[in-house]
Amino acid sequence: MEHVPALDEDLKKTLGPATAKVLAEQLGLHTALDLLHHYPRRYAERGELTSLAELADQIDEHVTVVAQVADARVLTFNGGRGKRLEVTITDGNGRLQLVFFGAGVHKPHKDLLPGTRAMFAGKVSKFNHKLQLAHPAYEPLGADASDRDAATAFANQLIPIYPACAKLESWKIAKCVDAVLPSAQEAVDPLPPALREGRGLVPLTEALLKIHRPVTKVDIEDARQRLKWDEAFVLQVALARRRHADSQLPAVARRPVPGGLLDSFDAKLPFTLTEGQQAVSKEIFDDLATEHPMHRLLQGEVGSGKTMVALRAMLAVVDSGGQAAMLAPTEVLAQQHHRSITEMMGELAEGGMLGGSDLGTKVVLLTGSMGMPARRQALLDLVTGEAGIVIGTHALIEDKVQFHDLGLVVVDEQHRFGVEQRDALRSKGKQPPHLLVMTATPIPRTVAMTVFGDLETSVLDQLPAGRSPIATHVVPAKDKPHFLTRAWERVREEVGKGHQAYVVCPRIGDEEEPKKKGSGKASPEDDAERRPPLAVLDIAEQLTRGPLADVSVEVLHGRMDPADKDDVMRRFAAGEVKVLVATTVIEVGVNVPNSTVMVIMDADRFGVSQLHQLRGRVGRGSAPGLCLLVSEMHEASPARARLAAVAATLDGFELSRIDLEQRREGDVLGQAQSGVRSSLRMLAVIEDEEVIAQAREEAARVVAQDPELERLPGLRTALDALLDTEREQYLEKG
């Protein structure tokens, strides 16, 4: 009896060491199960049966013909070293030449003798003004000339095209799949039977057979629908279990004290909170008042006032006798948050005793580059409880940082932190602290459900009063150089009115120049692609010598000394520096309301969401904002289409959808998220919104009834495969 490989069996046993090595190294496939989940990316059709007389209209098309071999001859070239088999076929109405080269001539030379009737499938091409099929697939037919059924079956067969690599073509992968396909019978079905039947989904075994060897297009559709459900459901069960486990943990309820620090702060505010801020604050305060840890994602448009919402939550926790820590991804951002929070709180940030509303509380900064005396004092303030609020970078996670009573962790820009870092900070509480995660990159609902599915989500999509609209325009520097000249004039005009400007570049400029690839004549787009991205140091020099000669211009980038960075930011915030030429260190959190114009050089080198983030740095005051996207790319290029999309809308949620559709979710759930291959092979996060939403509901129901999944061993097995040690919580690693 033929060997049926076990699902967890190493492919070496079934396919031999050489093929198994290529599959493992190039495609990350190690077991029979891995290979069964390596799905075809599309299917080629051999094509309807075509008469030879019609082929002239089908150059570059895949066709299938039934014909008889008229003659066959082997020709040599290269002094006899090369061989070519030429076969002429006819169907009574026309003639066609088939060609086979090299070692591939022997078998067809034996099979395709004159008089043989066969089906031939391949791509029509032209050589020396003659139509031909090169290396066609063929299937000899029986003597019965009317064997149309076999011919039609062959012609309409769907040929799976697999994601392949140079060392292993798709058709070889198909043969490997054939070897393991019998083991699909052993596949454990993760879906509860009631769910599967209720949704009319085919069993897993059937889905695997149909995805790899479909007979009809309906087979493919049935299989895809079922396999999408598997991915969505298993993933949502993993997240539902994490939510369930978190809801079982004890936490200290943190309620603001009437007449305490939060009330004193609110009374000082020179403006009214937006309805959105009030609604989101209520959701957060309700969570903080429970005896289970809050897990909430606060996402909002650029400039929607997330920091204000987070600060009020921190003050509520300090009111109740606890401490709050805010984790920022960069020193620039940590310093900026510290500065803006102490300014917003005024004398309330100069408190002595923790929770004392008369004196407020201490707000300390903790970063890796602080001097030892300041660092020692900050650590002391935290352990004694003198400081109610600490704002810091990764330095907060270090072992020596101890808290008196950590009640709330606020993580800014979640996508830059790994889940281990988030958990390391949470573990510093005597009991698990509440958690608020903020992101300024608006995330489509489905992505939020898939990537941050263990967090409840609050959305701020209303801009505070007094915020000005931002006009965005594309500046085609190559086609219309006078537009770039005008851009620098606009910067001068804004500075003349007493405002300030940012100029953003993709590169610092003190790195080694990348070597230019290729040679020969290039198109202007190629030149724009090939030259190194424009750099902060070069552009700053050009501006100070040229269009902004008498304007105060400074640079800011990540490799500067932290004290110098802080000094530049302080002087820019104070209005002493008029134009800041910077890298994306200013992307998030930098708040200078007097800045009205931003020029982004080589804007095509940035992603859609990043451009949206960057332009959110202007228009933060009463004067309208202007963002100019400078690009040398051709008008018809995809890069320019992206820039046009950014210029056309200020809706970050709409832009994040466009961004995701262009990049696919590999960047969301693939290596960028996890360091391992994404487990999503069939599910497309944006397209399959409905499946994900339904799977989330089903998963919540299943986990509520059976948190340990004791009654669903198949689902447990699938979960273990998803969450092996390497992939544990792969969903949220950034």
Side-chain angles (χ1 to χ4, degrees), residues 278-288 294 296 457-459:
Q278 289 172 7
V280 167
S281 288
K282 182 181 183 313
E283 290 175 347
I284 291 170
F285 290 150
D286 288 349
D287 282 359
L288 289 173
M294 168 173 80
R296 191 163 280 281
T457 303
S458 296
V459 175

Side-chain angles (χ1 to χ4, degrees), residues 509-522:
D510 56 1
E511 318 89 339
E512 247 184 74
E513 294 255 329
K515 289 194 175 66
K516 288 187 181 173
K517 282 187 203 146
S519 59
K521 290 194 173 172

Side-chain angles (χ1 to χ4, degrees), residues 65 74 94 100 226 254 263 270 380 527 564 591 652 722:
V65 297
V74 175
F100 300 86
R226 163 62 216 245
R254 309 281 181 177
D263 284 353
L380 187 64
D527 286 345
D564 294 343
N591 185 26
L722 175 71

Side-chain angles (χ1 to χ4, degrees), residues 536-537 540-541 553-557 560 564 568 577 579-582:
V536 166
L537 302 178
E541 190 181 341
V553 176
E554 291 271 2
V555 301
L556 180 73
H557 58 77
M560 286 165 64
D564 294 343
V568 170
V577 174
V579 177
L580 191 62
V581 184

Side-chain angles (χ1 to χ4, degrees), residues 7-52:
L7 288 172
D8 57 358
E9 190 172 288
D10 194 304
L11 289 170
K12 280 186 203 135
K13 286 189 181 173
T14 319
L15 306 175
T19 304
K21 185 170 187 249
V22 176
L23 286 169
E25 288 177 0
Q26 302 288 318
L27 299 169
L29 306 174
H30 302 275
T31 65
L33 188 62
D34 291 344
L35 191 46
L36 286 174
H37 287 303
H38 186 69
Y39 307 131
R41 56 189 170 84
R42 63 184 182 86
Y43 300 85
E45 291 182 73
R46 284 206 166 106
E48 300 297 318
L49 289 177
T50 310
S51 123
L52 297 187

